[in-house]
Amino acid sequence: MLKLAGARRLEDRDLSGVRALLDADPAVACMVAARVEAVGLQPSRLGGELWGFGPKLDGLCFSGGNLIPLRGGRGAMRAFADRALRRGRICSSLVGPSEQVLALWRELAPDWGPAREVRPQQPLMVMSGPPRVRADPLVRPVRSDELDRYLPAAVAMFTEEVGVDPRDGGGADSYRARIAELIAGGRAFARFEGDRVVFKAEIGALSRSAGQIQGVWVHPRYRGTGLGTAGTATIADRLVRGMGRVASLYVNDFNVAARRAYGRVGFQQAGTFGTVLF
């Protein structure tokens, strides 16, 4: 592996330059920008390290629970891979702009492979105006005392989407804590029919410019009824008109039904993400 001195851990003195880069593409950078805006660049607060490449930060990569390469060419990806290999794999996935994710994975695959799954084409969709369809007035923020009613739907969504139960391997407490955190922050939404969650989604990351919708799920008995479209419209409208952010999400290219639903809401493709799952 080629070692390049240009890959370095960024520090608070780099903050203004990092913020300028993150602000340049809010939807792409949302996951990282939300963390940086909240706590700065110190790893103990950030939950990982932010790496830069080159004197003008031509490359940028977050390394934590996820490895997120945001920008950079082949040289940057080689440098980030070298640093990641020396640190050891601590991430559960690579995710971010498809070009950078796939280039970084080519460097890491001989040592970290095989991946459990590679998803190279995931449309990144954005929306900055009001929804084109009627929002669901019954979709609302989940209350903290509803955690136990909401959690099974969150587990079902994760298992369907990722292919593993998030509670496996001793992860039940940490997953429950993460969902509780989203609920406490007013970023988990659901429509209940009695004690049953029939629609759910969360705002997984929220920066000063964008919010990323994640975990959209409809109970199997209610699929095909329009709940997913109307529910997503509710959350997107809250982001756009309620919070003054761009609404964003990314979706698997093979999920044609979801892509059509998001298009009806008013989302348009603005890029392509890729994901490598371990």
Coordinates of all heavy atoms in Angstrom, one line a residue, residues 181-215:
E181 N -32.5 8.1 21.6 CA -31.9 9.5 21.3 C -32.6 10.2 20.2 O -32.9 11.4 20.3 CB -30.4 9.3 21.0 CG -29.7 10.6 20.7 CD -28.2 10.3 20.2 OE1 -27.9 9.2 19.8 OE2 -27.4 11.3 20.3
L182 N -32.9 9.5 19.1 CA -33.7 10.1 18.0 C -35.1 10.6 18.5 O -35.5 11.7 18.1 CB -33.8 9.1 16.9 CG -32.5 8.8 16.1 CD1 -32.8 7.7 15.1 CD2 -32.1 10.1 15.3
I183 N -35.7 9.8 19.3 CA -37.0 10.1 19.8 C -36.9 11.4 20.7 O -37.7 12.3 20.6 CB -37.7 9.0 20.6 CG1 -38.0 7.8 19.6 CG2 -38.9 9.4 21.3 CD1 -38.5 6.6 20.3
A184 N -35.9 11.4 21.6 CA -35.8 12.5 22.5 C -35.5 13.8 21.8 O -35.9 14.9 22.2 CB -34.6 12.2 23.5
G185 N -34.8 13.7 20.6 CA -34.5 14.8 19.8 C -35.6 15.3 18.9 O -35.4 16.2 18.1
G186 N -36.7 14.6 18.9 CA -37.8 15.0 18.1 C -37.6 14.6 16.6 O -38.2 15.2 15.7
R187 N -36.8 13.6 16.4 CA -36.4 13.3 15.0 C -36.9 11.9 14.6 O -36.5 11.4 13.5 CB -34.9 13.4 14.9 CG -34.4 14.8 14.9 CD -33.0 14.9 15.2 NE -32.1 14.1 14.4 CZ -30.8 13.9 14.7 NH1 -30.2 14.6 15.7 NH2 -30.1 13.1 13.9
A188 N -37.8 11.3 15.4 CA -38.4 10.0 15.0 C -39.9 10.3 14.8 O -40.5 10.9 15.6 CB -38.2 8.9 16.0
F189 N -40.4 9.8 13.7 CA -41.8 10.1 13.3 C -42.6 8.8 13.0 O -42.0 7.8 12.5 CB -41.9 11.0 12.1 CG -41.2 12.3 12.3 CD1 -39.9 12.5 12.2 CD2 -42.0 13.4 12.7 CE1 -39.2 13.7 12.4 CE2 -41.4 14.7 12.9 CZ -40.0 14.8 12.7
A190 N -43.9 8.8 13.3 CA -44.6 7.6 13.1 C -46.1 7.9 12.9 O -46.6 8.9 13.4 CB -44.4 6.5 14.2
R191 N -46.8 7.0 12.3 CA -48.3 7.0 12.3 C -48.7 5.7 13.0 O -48.2 4.6 12.7 CB -48.9 7.0 10.9 CG -50.4 6.8 10.9 CD -51.0 7.0 9.6 NE -52.4 6.6 9.5 CZ -53.2 7.0 8.6 NH1 -52.8 7.8 7.6 NH2 -54.5 6.6 8.6
F192 N -49.5 5.8 14.1 CA -49.9 4.7 14.9 C -51.4 4.3 14.5 O -52.2 5.2 14.3 CB -49.8 5.0 16.4 CG -48.4 5.1 16.9 CD1 -47.8 6.3 16.9 CD2 -47.8 4.0 17.4 CE1 -46.5 6.4 17.4 CE2 -46.5 4.1 18.0 CZ -45.9 5.3 18.0
E193 N -51.6 3.1 14.4 CA -53.0 2.6 14.4 C -53.2 1.7 15.6 O -52.7 0.6 15.6 CB -53.3 1.8 13.1 CG -53.2 2.6 11.8 CD -54.3 3.6 11.6 OE1 -55.3 3.5 12.4 OE2 -54.2 4.5 10.8
G194 N -53.8 2.2 16.6 CA -53.8 1.6 17.9 C -52.4 1.5 18.5 O -51.7 2.5 18.6
D195 N -52.0 0.3 18.8 CA -50.6 0.1 19.3 C -49.6 -0.2 18.2 O -48.4 -0.4 18.5 CB -50.6 -1.0 20.4 CG -51.2 -0.6 21.7 OD1 -51.2 0.6 22.0 OD2 -51.7 -1.4 22.4
R196 N -50.1 -0.3 17.0 CA -49.2 -0.7 15.9 C -48.7 0.5 15.1 O -49.4 1.4 14.8 CB -50.0 -1.6 14.9 CG -49.3 -2.0 13.7 CD -50.2 -2.8 12.7 NE -50.5 -4.1 13.3 CZ -51.5 -4.9 12.9 NH1 -52.2 -4.5 11.9 NH2 -51.7 -6.0 13.5
V197 N -47.4 0.5 14.8 CA -46.8 1.5 14.0 C -47.0 1.0 12.5 O -46.6 -0.1 12.1 CB -45.2 1.6 14.2 CG1 -44.6 2.5 13.2 CG2 -45.0 2.2 15.6
V198 N -47.7 1.9 11.7 CA -47.9 1.5 10.3 C -47.0 2.3 9.4 O -46.9 1.9 8.2 CB -49.4 1.7 10.0 CG1 -50.3 0.8 10.8 CG2 -49.9 3.2 10.2
F199 N -46.4 3.4 9.8 CA -45.4 4.1 9.1 C -44.4 4.7 10.1 O -44.8 5.1 11.1 CB -46.1 5.3 8.3 CG -45.0 6.2 7.7 CD1 -44.4 6.0 6.5 CD2 -44.6 7.4 8.4 CE1 -43.4 6.8 6.0 CE2 -43.7 8.2 7.9 CZ -43.1 7.9 6.7
K200 N -43.2 4.7 9.6 CA -42.1 5.3 10.5 C -41.0 5.8 9.6 O -40.8 5.4 8.5 CB -41.5 4.3 11.5 CG -40.7 3.2 10.8 CD -39.7 2.5 11.7 CE -38.5 3.4 12.0 NZ -37.6 3.6 10.9
A201 N -40.3 6.8 10.1 CA -39.1 7.3 9.5 C -38.4 8.2 10.5 O -39.0 8.7 11.5 CB -39.4 8.1 8.2
E202 N -37.2 8.5 10.2 CA -36.4 9.4 11.1 C -35.6 10.5 10.3 O -35.4 10.3 9.1 CB -35.4 8.6 12.0 CG -36.0 7.6 12.9 CD -35.7 6.2 12.5 OE1 -34.8 6.0 11.8 OE2 -36.5 5.3 13.0
I203 N -35.3 11.5 11.0 CA -34.3 12.5 10.4 C -33.0 12.0 11.1 O -32.7 12.3 12.3 CB -34.7 13.9 10.8 CG1 -36.0 14.3 10.2 CG2 -33.6 14.9 10.3 CD1 -36.5 15.7 10.6
G204 N -32.2 11.3 10.3 CA -31.0 10.7 10.9 C -29.9 11.6 11.2 O -29.1 11.5 12.1
A205 N -29.8 12.6 10.3 CA -28.7 13.7 10.4 C -29.3 15.0 10.1 O -30.2 15.1 9.2 CB -27.5 13.4 9.5
L206 N -29.0 16.0 10.9 CA -29.5 17.3 10.7 C -28.4 18.4 10.9 O -27.9 18.6 12.0 CB -30.6 17.6 11.8 CG -31.4 18.9 11.7 CD1 -32.2 18.9 10.4 CD2 -32.3 19.0 12.9
S207 N -28.1 19.0 9.8 CA -27.1 20.1 9.8 C -27.8 21.4 9.7 O -29.0 21.4 9.6 CB -26.1 19.9 8.6 OG -26.7 20.3 7.4
R208 N -27.1 22.5 9.7 CA -27.7 23.8 9.6 C -28.3 24.1 8.2 O -29.1 25.0 8.1 CB -26.7 24.9 10.0 CG -25.5 25.0 9.0 CD -24.5 25.9 9.6 NE -23.3 26.0 8.8 CZ -22.2 26.7 9.1 NH1 -22.2 27.4 10.2 NH2 -21.1 26.7 8.3
S209 N -28.0 23.2 7.2 CA -28.4 23.4 5.9 C -29.3 22.3 5.3 O -30.1 22.5 4.4 CB -27.3 23.6 4.9 OG -26.4 24.7 5.3
A210 N -29.2 21.1 5.9 CA -29.9 19.9 5.3 C -30.3 19.0 6.4 O -29.7 18.9 7.5 CB -29.0 19.3 4.3
G211 N -31.3 18.2 6.1 CA -31.7 17.1 7.0 C -31.8 15.8 6.1 O -32.3 15.8 5.0
Q212 N -31.3 14.7 6.6 CA -31.3 13.4 5.9 C -32.4 12.5 6.5 O -32.3 12.1 7.6 CB -29.9 12.8 5.9 CG -29.9 11.5 5.0 CD -28.5 10.9 5.0 OE1 -28.2 10.1 5.8 NE2 -27.6 11.4 4.1
I213 N -33.4 12.2 5.7 CA -34.4 11.2 6.1 C -33.9 9.8 5.9 O -33.3 9.5 4.9 CB -35.7 11.5 5.3 CG1 -36.2 12.9 5.4 CG2 -36.7 10.4 5.6 CD1 -37.3 13.2 4.5
Q214 N -34.2 9.0 6.9 CA -33.7 7.6 6.9 C -34.8 6.7 7.5 O -35.7 7.2 8.1 CB -32.4 7.4 7.7 CG -32.7 7.6 9.2 CD -31.4 7.4 10.1 OE1 -30.3 7.5 9.6 NE2 -31.7 6.9 11.3
G215 N -34.6 5.4 7.3 CA -35.5 4.4 7.9 C -36.9 4.5 7.6 O -37.8 4.2 8.4

